[in-house]
Amino acid sequence: MTTNRTLRAAIACALALGATAGLQAQTLKDLTDDQATTGDVLTYGMGYANQRYSPLKAINKGNVDKLTPVWTYSLNNPQGQESQPIIHNGVMYVTTHTSTVAVDALSGRQIWKQDLEFASDVFKMACCGLLNRGVAIYNGKVYRTTLDAHVIAYDAKTGKQLWKSKAADYKQGHAMTSAPLVTGGALITGIAGGEYGTRGFITGWDPETGKELWKLYTTAAAGEKGGDTWPGDTAMKGGAPTWLTGAYDPQLDLVYWGTGNGGPWNAEARKGDNLYVCSVLAFRPKTGELVWHYQFSPNDPFDYDATEVGMLVDMDVGGTKRKVLAQANRNGFFYVLDRANGKLLAANPYVKVNWADKIDMASGRPVESAAFKRVRAGEDVEIFPSVLGGKNWQPMSWNPATGLAYANTLNISWPYQLAKPEYKQGEWYLGVNFRGVNMPKDQPHGYLSAIDPMTGKSKWQMAWPGQPSMAGTLSTAGGLVFTGSATGEVIAVDAESGKKLWQYQTGSGIIGLPVTWEKDGKQYVSIVSGGGGVWALLGDERMSQTPAGGSLWTFAIR
Ligand code: CA
Ligand code: CA
């Protein structure tokens, strides 16, 4: 009897523990383990390494043609949708620029929704689309950023707002669009506004209270280390925005965060390297202390933002396993850096490039081309890649079985000529005769590319018909790459061959980020649909055949 009672008590205790574990708040260990734990998606990038790779293979090359929608949910928002779903304990969290929602991951039923309101002049400051890229989750709270440069914490269970902190004054041209990163006692956020003569920074917040813990400015002011790379006080309007989410290596305790263009675009107005524009910064999450940096495009005039920081990959480099940071830079080169110290290991073009002849491996600096010299002399020159880059904001993914990086790349140029820069608060500060982009005739405008990081060469490319894709990619152990098209199809492609194996039309354009997860042995794929973003500003008239309307989709094999 005693034994029975002890047993019953033990079982009750185990059940209680189990139940608690199910509802348990997310710990740093949970976030660190995210890539391997397939029942949830807790981080932007599907793991701190930002590989967007899942070991799941229930959906694979042999059955992906049977993939079908399980549910769809209206985001009630006509803007571009770039939010990466976060999934924990059966609940999916997604953002738009005006709302945050919690949805039952199996049924698609709404659990809670929180709306945001903005002053009307806020929308003027968002250079490239009214959007948001998703939440961070930690210790029972979900966190998001806002277009008017605030950070908000909600109770993950109820949606109750717990704190709201101001990162910057939106009237100066600052905005926030990306998902925060939580690690090392800090909630870390970036800032947009590189086109508005702002000064970029990265902020660390106390995740519990929203108190600012540290602030790392991304332009070096006069008197600071690197301050001599700017003339006068030009660093104070020098740009280097930080508008996408960084990656984190727990062993090295380094956060990697990309920075964007210098302000104004016209680099003749800020002669010098302009640290730390168009760079990657490696820093300590607890303090924001900068440990190393690598500048991809010194004195960049071409808006080659390096904000999409890339992936942390352990890969073979010349016969040795190295811990690297792999980045498909907007400037058209694919970089491989030693992520312990920033040493350059490879830099090769992955799209057509004419602004630089090559990257000098000894100095790590680009060798400026004849075309670049003509730009500096004030001539009107066609430059590859365009302002949109060889790849824009959309993250790539990694498949360790193929050793390839899967990215939606662009084959677009732009006419470039310097003009006189003029600063007006809250307006674009370019100093360039900006006339949009040139779509090549008789050639695809973009590809889904399977890139060898060390050579920049593609093993295969799938040409997008008509418009290129600005969607992220997802790789799986099922041998698949998932992504989406500007015309609304979610697609699955064979990671080895580039052959399209499945597609489904979601009703609007796709510029979102696919994720995959499992529940009770069944694998699901989720993605937001909703055309827009920077492509809508520069896209051609074919966008007119893509209806607006944000929605959230989940697919499975029935
Ligand atoms: Ca996980
Ligand atoms: Ca920019």
Side-chain angles (χ1 to χ4, degrees):
M1 201 63 193
T2 311
T3 314
N4 238 347
R5 218 171 18 236
T6 311
L7 189 64
R8 268 205 305 271
I11 290 169
C13 183
L15 284 173
L17 276 175
T20 314
L23 297 171
Q24 195 178 44
Q26 316 69 36
T27 63
L28 278 185
K29 184 172 185 314
D30 295 334
L31 301 186
T32 304
D33 295 345
D34 187 27
Q35 184 169 27
T37 54
T38 49
D40 55 27
V41 176
L42 302 178
T43 51
Y44 185 85
M46 293 182 64
Y48 280 142
N50 205 25
Q51 292 181 3
R52 299 184 179 277
Y53 170 77
S54 171
L56 289 173
K57 52 188 173 190
I59 301 170
N60 54 55
K61 291 184 203 185
N63 62 14
V64 69
D65 62 326
K66 296 183 185 66
L67 205 57
T68 188
V70 179
W71 54 261
T72 181
Y73 169 86
S74 171
L75 292 165
N76 192 26
N77 183 294
Q79 300 293 334
Q81 306 302 330
E82 296 184 359
S83 178
Q84 184 211 291
I86 291 289
I87 301 142
H88 177 252
N89 196 30
V91 182
M92 188 177 297
Y93 301 91
V94 169
T95 59
T96 68
H97 80 291
T98 52
S99 66
T100 310
V101 296
V103 172
D104 183 298
L106 289 179
S107 71
R109 287 196 196 101
Q110 183 177 304
I111 297 168
W112 58 258
K113 179 171 187 169
Q114 283 286 5
D115 288 319
L116 297 167
E117 282 178 15
F118 299 111
S120 59
D121 60 341
V122 168
F123 301 127
K124 202 178 107 176
M125 308 298 177
C127 84
C128 306
L130 307 178
L131 51 85
N132 189 272
R133 299 191 175 88
V135 302
I137 189 164
Y138 173 62
N139 199 18
K141 299 178 187 64
V142 294
Y143 305 93
R144 69 164 294 158
T145 60
T146 70
L147 278 179
D148 60 357
H150 286 73
V151 185
I152 301 177
Y154 297 111
D155 183 300
K157 208 169 172 184
T158 64
K160 181 174 178 259
Q161 184 176 308
L162 302 174
W163 57 257
K164 181 174 183 176
S165 295
K166 183 177 170 179
D169 179 5
Y170 77 85
K171 286 180 188 290
Q172 305 279 335
H174 295 288
M176 294 174 100
T177 50
S178 56
L181 171 73
V182 181
T183 191
L187 174 82
I188 305 171
T189 58
I191 195 85
E195 274 63 49
Y196 295 82
T198 57
R199 184 184 187 200
F201 57 86
I202 301 162
T203 312
W205 311 87
D206 182 334
E208 290 306 310
T209 64
K211 182 175 168 279
E212 186 181 305
L213 301 175
W214 52 259
K215 194 168 190 175
L216 171 60
Y217 280 102
T218 50
T219 69
E224 290 175 0
K225 192 179 171 205
D228 56 354
T229 63
W230 297 87
D233 66 351
T234 50
M236 305 316 284
K237 290 187 174 57
T242 54
W243 54 272
L244 283 171
T245 309
Y248 176 60
D249 182 323
Q251 274 78 47
L252 295 169
D253 191 34
L254 287 174
V255 172
Y256 305 89
W257 210 284
T259 68
N261 62 281
W265 284 0
N266 184 337
E268 302 305 302
R270 46 179 168 81
K271 284 182 189 292
D273 280 358
N274 313 136
L275 293 174
Y276 301 93
V277 309
C278 300
S279 301
V280 57
L281 305 182
F283 61 84
R284 301 286 178 214
K286 270 193 181 62
T287 58
E289 178 207 347
L290 185 62
V291 176
W292 60 259
H293 75 276
Y294 177 86
Q295 190 174 41
F296 302 99
S297 308
N299 192 236
D300 162 62
F302 301 118
D303 192 28
Y304 289 151
D305 289 14
T307 40
E308 206 286 287
V309 73
M311 311 178 296
L312 311 186
V313 174
D314 295 350
M315 65 174 223
D316 186 82
V317 178
T320 313
K321 199 80 152 178
R322 299 285 289 259
K323 285 174 177 287
V324 309
L325 169 77
Q327 191 195 84
N329 198 285
R330 231 158 92 169
N331 73 13
F333 289 90
F334 199 107
Y335 291 85
V336 179
L337 304 177
D338 182 324
R339 69 174 181 267
N341 53 29
K343 186 183 180 311
L344 181 64
L345 302 175
N348 294 289
Y350 66 97
V351 291
K352 182 171 176 181
V353 170
N354 77 345
W355 68 276
D357 291 333
K358 61 173 184 174
I359 307 300
D360 179 73
M361 289 304 294
S363 66
R365 298 176 67 88
V367 177
E368 294 186 4
S369 66
F372 198 158
K373 291 189 176 99
R374 288 170 54 211
V375 164
R376 290 208 186 274
E379 289 181 45
D380 194 348
V381 187
E382 184 182 27
I383 293 292
F384 289 86
S386 79
V387 63
L388 294 171
K391 176 177 81 59
N392 197 262
W393 80 280
Q394 63 271 25
M396 56 187 173
S397 59
W398 173 251
N399 187 326
T402 63
L404 298 169
Y406 299 89
N408 280 309
T409 60
L410 302 171
N411 181 31
I412 300 172
S413 66
W414 63 328
Y416 192 93
Q417 187 172 31
L418 299 175
K420 193 175 173 338
E422 200 178 331
Y423 177 77
K424 282 197 194 122
Q425 182 175 310
E427 291 187 14
W428 277 25
Y429 182 45
L430 303 185
V432 167
N433 177 16
F434 184 55
R435 289 153 288 163
V437 296
N438 290 337
M439 302 293 172
K441 290 188 184 67
D442 312 321
Q443 277 180 42
H445 301 162
Y447 302 88
L448 175 60
S449 301
I451 305 168
D452 175 350
M454 291 306 289
T455 65
K457 290 195 168 56
S458 290
K459 185 185 172 197
W460 53 257
Q461 290 192 307
M462 186 199 79
W464 289 104
Q467 304 170 68
S469 170
M470 306 281 264
T473 74
L474 160 71
S475 289
T476 73
L480 299 172
V481 182
F482 289 89
T483 188
S485 73
T487 46
E489 292 88 0
V490 186
I491 70 162
V493 168
D494 183 330
E496 292 281 354
S497 68
K499 184 171 175 243
K500 187 155 72 178
L501 301 175
W502 170 81
Q503 69 174 42
Y504 185 88
Q505 171 58 250
T506 59
S508 182
I510 291 185
I511 51 172
L513 304 167
V515 295
T516 190
W517 52 284
E518 59 97 10
K519 174 76 177 163
D520 299 331
K522 192 165 190 156
Q523 186 181 353
Y524 298 85
V525 174
S526 299
I527 191 169
V528 291
S529 169
V534 69
W535 178 246
L537 302 183
L538 297 170
D540 59 22
E541 65 282 357
R542 275 169 288 196
M543 269 291 282
S544 64
Q545 299 307 325
T546 304
S551 53
L552 170 61
W553 292 78
T554 288
F555 301 88
I557 291 170
R558 291 281 197 183

